[in-house]
Amino acid sequence: MAQAPERGVPAGYIAPLAAVDSARFGIAIVTADGREFAGGDGDMTFSIQSISKVFALTLALGVAGDQLWTRVGVEPSGTAFNSIVQLEHEQGIPRNPFINAGAIVVTDVLLGRHEPREAIGEMLRFVRMLAGDKDIFVDETVARAEEETGFRNLALANYMRAFGNLRRPVEQVLGVYFHHCALAMSCRQLARAGRYLMTGGRHPETGHSIVSARRARRINALMLTCGHYDGSGEFAFRVGLPGKSGVGGGILTIVPGVASIAVWSPGLNERGNSQLGTFALERLVHRTGWSIFDPRPG
Ligand code: GLU
């Protein structure tokens, strides 16, 4: 099917993603005072893919604390999400937790002493708790397709293992990684799951601390500088908010203190980020003055 150029091209590296209707578009906004807005296909589930790296990082920081930063850096990569080139120069320490190599190390931390099945279960429970929604699930068809075609991720993982930056067997780490990438969520579920990053680390319903305010601030900083791979500068330039994209066409964006926003449109730009999703966020921020670079009243 011919793609309208302004919508970009959906990811084609696995069949379940290539099969998604490129005409879909959804948005959901949850505000700090608890209001919720959803539009278009905002309640339709899609593959969150790399957006799961935000939740995996949050959990891994709870396990390893700041020691995690000895194994993963905090600098933008300027390279594609699955690039291997920097790893040799940097001795198996990935640039940041939001490129694949970084998320694979984060997943190794999550695995800890667990069996893979337990680590996947922990991740699923965590995301359900964040969203306050027990219906969130892992799409096994997507996870299996990733496993069958994940040659680059296997290369990244083996390379880091050779440098001693992966503790658990490569197959186990990747099994867990592919499963959290295969989480299926709607924009509404995703915007709800992101609320703790708008509230300085607190769960807005239970009041429990998910992460400290300092960690929430740092995760937001990494989303701003590294959340869109080698397109992170452009996203900051156009939208000016912490955001994490996935090749399924979703973007989770945080307006600290104000809103958690999720958009979804499967067509991607040349850097693997949702074309229409980015455009919608750009328009929204223009209309609301929600960029973190807009002056705040008072
Ligand atoms: N599961 C995908 C991969 O590892 C995630 C890529 C992405 O969303 O950027 O290739």
Side-chain angles (χ1 to χ4, degrees):
M1 189 174 63
Q3 306 295 337
E6 72 274 16
R7 280 188 174 262
V9 183
Y13 73 99
I14 50 171
L17 289 186
V20 179
D21 178 1
S22 64
R24 298 285 175 194
F25 173 84
I27 182 165
I29 304 175
V30 182
T31 58
D33 57 10
R35 286 176 299 157
E36 246 177 65
F37 308 88
D41 298 310
D43 284 308
M44 182 170 277
T45 59
F46 61 91
S47 190
I48 73 164
Q49 291 295 323
S50 279
I51 303 171
S52 69
K53 290 170 181 168
V54 175
F55 306 123
L57 172 65
T58 305
L59 263 185
L61 281 168
V63 174
D66 288 342
Q67 282 296 313
L68 181 71
W69 305 121
T70 61
R71 295 176 60 187
V72 186
V74 295
E75 294 295 340
S77 68
T79 54
F81 66 96
N82 54 9
S83 170
I84 201 166
V85 291
Q86 277 165 344
L87 272 181
E88 181 166 22
H89 295 296
E90 294 172 359
Q91 261 114 72
I93 309 283
R95 272 279 167 116
N96 68 66
F98 293 153
I99 49 173
N100 284 14
I104 290 168
V105 171
V106 163
T107 305
D108 185 56
V109 170
L110 277 189
L111 200 45
R113 293 199 196 95
H114 289 313
E115 291 303 314
R117 190 183 294 274
E118 292 163 3
I120 296 164
E122 188 182 14
M123 181 76 180
L124 186 57
R125 276 194 303 280
F126 182 58
V127 173
R128 285 176 172 171
M129 181 273 289
L130 290 176
D133 191 330
K134 291 195 172 61
D135 290 339
I136 296 167
F137 65 98
V138 171
D139 186 332
E140 288 293 337
T141 313
V142 171
R144 252 195 314 279
E146 297 270 7
E147 247 153 5
E148 281 160 15
T149 59
F151 307 114
R152 266 175 180 265
N153 286 318
L154 258 174
L156 292 170
N158 276 303
Y159 205 55
M160 291 189 292
R161 187 122 207 244
F163 279 106
N165 199 15
L166 223 58
R167 313 270 152 86
R168 296 294 299 262
V170 162
E171 295 70 26
Q172 291 190 7
V173 179
L174 286 182
V176 177
Y177 170 78
F178 289 138
H179 277 77
H180 68 65
C181 286
L183 276 163
M185 293 170 75
S186 67
C187 289
R188 191 190 296 271
Q189 290 168 329
L190 202 49
R192 283 188 187 164
R195 291 173 297 183
Y196 71 103
L197 293 171
M198 117 180 116
T199 57
R202 265 183 326 96
H203 194 297
E205 282 167 36
T206 63
H208 291 158
S209 171
I210 307 295
V211 284
S212 66
R214 187 177 79 135
R215 278 209 181 129
R217 194 164 60 233
R218 287 177 158 185
I219 295 169
N220 276 317
L222 288 167
M223 287 169 75
L224 179 76
T225 54
C226 312
H228 281 69
Y229 318 115
D230 47 343
S232 299
E234 189 192 331
F235 188 79
F237 182 77
R238 290 177 56 190
V239 178
L241 287 171
K244 183 72 203 85
S245 70
V247 291
I251 303 175
L252 171 65
T253 313
I254 306 299
V255 191
V258 178
S260 172
I261 307 166
V263 291
W264 170 54
S265 174
L268 307 177
N269 64 21
E270 64 288 349
R271 279 157 173 168
N273 301 311
S274 176
Q275 176 106 318
L276 215 57
T278 308
F279 181 70
L281 288 169
E282 190 176 21
R283 294 290 298 270
L284 180 72
V285 160
H286 183 70
R287 298 273 289 269
T288 55
W290 277 356
S291 159
I292 57 169
F293 303 109
D294 283 319
R296 291 276 175 260

